[in-house]
């Protein structure tokens, strides 16, 4: 094992890093998109309920295991296993998590690359370089490859600097900026014609849809993806939390920040779409639903911005810097999972591990980019809809059925001495043992 492990230096540092991981394309792109295609606030409500009933308990499971074992995912799961079989399962789960998170990063880097390109577009236009601006906003394999590689280099650079000087430092600067930019954008968009229609579409629920299986499946997937669960990210971040920290408290703060920023993002994106409509931009697809998916961010919103004159350039700059920040603080948490394992279990230096693993993931991203139609959706679906919930299920099995209840309590008590008499301990152990795994399976097999 490597000598010194990193540690977050303060509660703020951890909160920024963990909420940085959680707040990503899932919140600012996935959540509003899902809301738009699933009956507005009906989806919002299902998402809020599922986050607190299912995703928060699973998040706590990862944080507690991580902080207890103070090691990477694979070693941590092995550490809390008792027999030979559970140790084998630990190894399988550890590797499956690392592979899944690497595939998530491989498509994440592609999408993030688009947003970075769109970030440079208003700058090019400001400088009068219209040809460059045109190139930046045209979907080509060359542009996508260049920007995904650039994005991966930034991710590798931050992870090479380690927990305190890389992850914590960057997240502590970027996350507050993200919140400020988001709030400013909401205030501005609300002043535009059409915004109130968007707000209404977002906040007035279509109750008839709340029991639709597809809505529930999407809401659970969204909740798990958004809290970065099932792939060991939160476990690894948990392993960098100091022993005197109150875990149930910081865990709930991360969940609240994540949900809060998703809800805020909806208050930006949905009104922006209706503002676009008021400006003559097409916001409905052929089937009559709101345009969701990539089209929303790389066609609807840019068309809106380009209708807004000079202010559009400023808004585009702010909006795409928001997307870029959200992406980077998440991508670093993904790369940290395999890197921490390689550093700790194979004695490889951190920057070497980051470069080698990051480059391998970039190669996968390039392969997907060159074969976009057959591969992109496939990778997204397998990683986030098949693998992630299944891994989340096994994490719950580990904490509920394999790790001893006594040890779990001892771990929580560090930093939260009267945990035993608190509400968390009355509900959570039963929850992760029975409710979470069953609920995940039920939704999964829908
Ligand atoms: N939570 C991130 C988002 O919402 C995605 C993510 C998934 C990050 C898995 C880390 C691990 O975009």
């Amino acid at each position: 094992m490597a000598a010194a492990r990193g540690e977050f230096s303060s509660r703020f540092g951890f909160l920024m890093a963990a909420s940085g991981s959680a707040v990503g394309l899932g919140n600012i792109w996935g959540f509003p998109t899902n809301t738009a295609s699933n009956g507005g606030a009906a989806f919002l409500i299902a998402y809020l309920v599922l986050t607190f009933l299912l995703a928060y308990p699973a998040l706590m499971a990862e944080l507690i295991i991580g902080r207890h074992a103070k090691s990477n995912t694979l070693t941590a799961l092995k550490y809390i296993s008792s027999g030979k079989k559970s140790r084998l399962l630990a190894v399988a789960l550890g590797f499956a998590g690392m592979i899944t998170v690497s595939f998530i990063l491989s498509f994440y880097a592609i999408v993030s690359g688009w947003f970075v390109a769109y970030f440079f577009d208003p700058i090019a236009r400001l400088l009068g370089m219209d040809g460059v601006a045109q190139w930046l906003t045209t979907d080509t394999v060359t542009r996508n490859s260049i920007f995904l590689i650039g994005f991966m280099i930034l991710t590798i650079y931050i992870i090479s600097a380690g927990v305190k000087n890389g992850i914590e430092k960057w997240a502590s600067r970027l996350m507050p900026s993200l919140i400020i930019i988001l709030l400013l954008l909401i205030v501005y968009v609300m002043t535009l014609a059409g915004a109130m229609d968007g707000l209404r579409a977002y906040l007035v629920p279509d109750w008839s849809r709340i029991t639709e299986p597809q809505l529930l499946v999407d809401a659970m997937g969204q909740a798990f993806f958004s809290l970065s669960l099932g792939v060991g990210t939160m476990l690894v971040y948990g392993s960098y939390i100091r022993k005197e920290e109150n875990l149930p408290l910081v865990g709930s703060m991360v969940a609240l920040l994540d949900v809060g920023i998703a809800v805020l993002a909806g208050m930006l994106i949905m009104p922006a779409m209706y503002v676009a409509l008021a400006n003559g931009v097409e916001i409905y697809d052929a089937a009559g639903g709101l345009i969701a998916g990539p089209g929303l961010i790389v066609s609807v919103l840019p068309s809106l911005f380009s209708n807004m004159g000079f202010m559009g350039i400023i808004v585009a700059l702010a909006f795409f810097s928001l997307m870029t920040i959200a992406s980077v603080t998440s991508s670093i948490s993904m790369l940290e999972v395999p890197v921490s394992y390689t550093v700790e279990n194979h004695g490889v230096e951190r920057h070497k591990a980051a470069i080698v693993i990051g480059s391998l993931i970039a190669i996968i991203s390039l392969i997907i980019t060159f074969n976009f139609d057959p591969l992109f959706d496939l990778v997204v679906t397998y990683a986030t809809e098949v693998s992630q919930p299944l891994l989340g299920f096994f994490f719950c099995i580990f904490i509920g059925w394999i790790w001893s209840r006594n040890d779990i309590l001892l771990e929580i008590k560090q930093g939260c001495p009267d945990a035993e008499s608190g509400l968390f301990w009355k509900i959570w152990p039963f929850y992760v043992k029975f409710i979470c795994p069953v609920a995940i399976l039920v939704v999964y097999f829908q």
Side-chain angles (χ1 to χ4, degrees):
M1 274 224 178
R5 288 192 95 240
E7 197 170 63
F8 293 121
S9 63
S10 63
R11 174 180 287 182
F12 179 76
F14 165 73
L15 284 178
M16 292 302 104
S19 62
S21 167
V23 173
L25 302 182
N27 302 59
I28 298 177
W29 177 33
F31 173 74
T33 298
N34 264 319
T35 311
S37 51
N38 278 302
F43 180 82
L44 168 66
I45 291 165
Y47 166 70
L48 290 179
V49 170
L50 288 176
T51 296
F52 284 98
L53 293 189
L54 287 181
Y56 169 69
L59 166 70
M60 287 312 301
E62 289 200 29
L63 292 181
I64 297 169
I65 299 176
R67 208 218 12 211
H68 178 72
K70 287 256 165 226
S71 64
N72 63 83
T73 323
L74 192 144
T75 311
L77 291 171
K78 254 168 88 179
Y79 184 67
I80 60 164
S81 306
S82 38
K84 205 170 162 202
K85 269 193 211 136
S86 55
R87 239 170 267 139
L88 268 180
L89 182 63
V91 174
L93 195 54
F95 276 118
M98 280 188 270
I99 294 169
T100 303
V101 84
S102 303
F103 276 103
I104 294 180
L105 180 51
S106 74
F107 77 73
Y108 215 82
I110 297 174
V111 179
S112 307
W114 300 339
F115 299 145
V116 180
Y118 273 87
F119 167 77
F120 285 110
D121 160 55
I123 300 178
R125 278 193 282 144
L126 266 181
L127 297 175
M129 300 157 79
D130 289 346
V132 177
Q134 181 68 29
W135 178 78
L136 285 167
T137 52
T138 309
D139 183 21
T140 59
V141 171
T142 321
R143 181 205 70 177
N144 294 347
S145 306
I146 292 175
F147 280 94
L148 85 83
I149 291 173
F151 182 80
M152 282 307 295
I153 291 176
L154 178 61
T155 304
I156 292 169
Y157 171 76
I158 299 174
I159 285 303
S160 301
V163 179
K164 209 176 284 174
N165 295 325
I167 299 172
E168 181 174 345
K169 190 167 114 189
W170 280 71
S172 304
R173 288 178 187 169
L174 292 178
M175 285 308 287
S177 330
L178 177 142
I179 295 174
I180 294 171
I181 299 174
L182 181 59
L183 291 175
L184 289 176
L185 280 172
I186 293 174
V187 171
Y188 177 69
V189 168
M190 288 301 168
T191 63
L192 303 175
M196 287 306 141
D197 294 333
L199 207 56
R200 223 166 289 129
Y202 177 46
L203 295 177
V204 179
D206 177 357
W207 290 117
S208 65
R209 299 192 58 177
I210 197 141
T211 49
E212 273 178 20
Q214 190 55 44
L215 182 144
L216 293 175
V217 174
D218 285 352
M220 189 176 85
Q222 177 63 35
F224 269 75
F225 184 75
S226 187
L227 272 178
S228 312
L229 296 176
V231 289
T233 309
M234 287 300 181
L235 191 154
V236 173
Y237 273 16
S239 77
Y240 301 137
I241 303 180
R242 293 181 300 179
K243 284 286 181 193
E244 54 271 26
E245 194 53 88
N246 181 334
L247 286 179
L249 179 70
V250 290
S252 51
M253 288 167 126
V254 172
L256 278 174
L257 274 168
D258 182 46
V259 165
I261 294 179
V263 171
L264 282 177
M267 296 180 66
L268 170 66
I269 305 285
M270 292 288 281
M273 286 190 82
Y274 283 80
V275 172
L277 181 67
N279 276 275
V281 177
E282 188 54 68
I283 66 166
Y284 296 102
D285 57 22
L290 283 172
I291 293 180
L296 170 61
I297 305 264
V298 296
S299 99
V300 175
L301 296 182
S303 317
L304 167 65
F305 301 150
S306 62
N307 273 348
M308 287 163 61
F310 179 72
M311 203 51 204
I313 294 187
I314 307 293
V315 174
L317 208 56
F319 180 74
F320 287 106
S321 61
L322 178 83
M323 297 303 281
T324 306
I325 294 175
S327 303
V328 175
T329 50
S330 296
S331 68
I332 53 178
S333 74
M334 297 179 204
L335 185 57
E336 180 63 13
V337 177
V339 166
S340 63
Y341 163 77
T342 314
V343 170
E344 289 170 15
N345 291 26
H346 297 285
V348 180
E349 269 177 84
R350 176 172 269 277
H351 73 274
K352 269 194 203 135
I355 292 175
V356 171
I357 298 170
S359 306
L360 287 175
I361 294 172
I363 292 173
I364 301 177
S365 302
L366 284 171
I367 295 174
I368 299 174
T369 302
F370 278 89
N371 304 279
F372 193 83
D373 286 334
L375 289 186
F376 185 78
D377 279 347
L378 192 77
V379 173
V380 174
T381 308
Y382 266 91
T384 63
E385 284 169 33
V386 179
S387 185
Q388 227 186 338
L390 212 57
L391 293 173
F393 167 81
F394 280 112
F395 268 103
C396 292
I397 297 295
F398 250 92
I399 198 134
W401 298 86
I402 296 178
W403 193 11
S404 100
R405 206 181 137 101
N406 237 355
D407 285 352
I408 300 178
L409 181 61
L410 284 179
E411 183 55 46
I412 301 175
K413 273 182 154 177
Q414 306 196 39
C416 182
D418 27 57
E420 204 171 349
S421 54
L423 193 63
F424 181 77
W425 188 249
K426 286 202 182 77
I427 302 174
W428 179 79
F430 172 79
Y431 231 92
V432 274
K433 189 163 182 161
F434 298 104
I435 312 276
C436 285
V438 172
I440 294 175
L441 284 190
V442 168
V443 180
Y444 191 72
F445 285 108
Q446 293 275 3

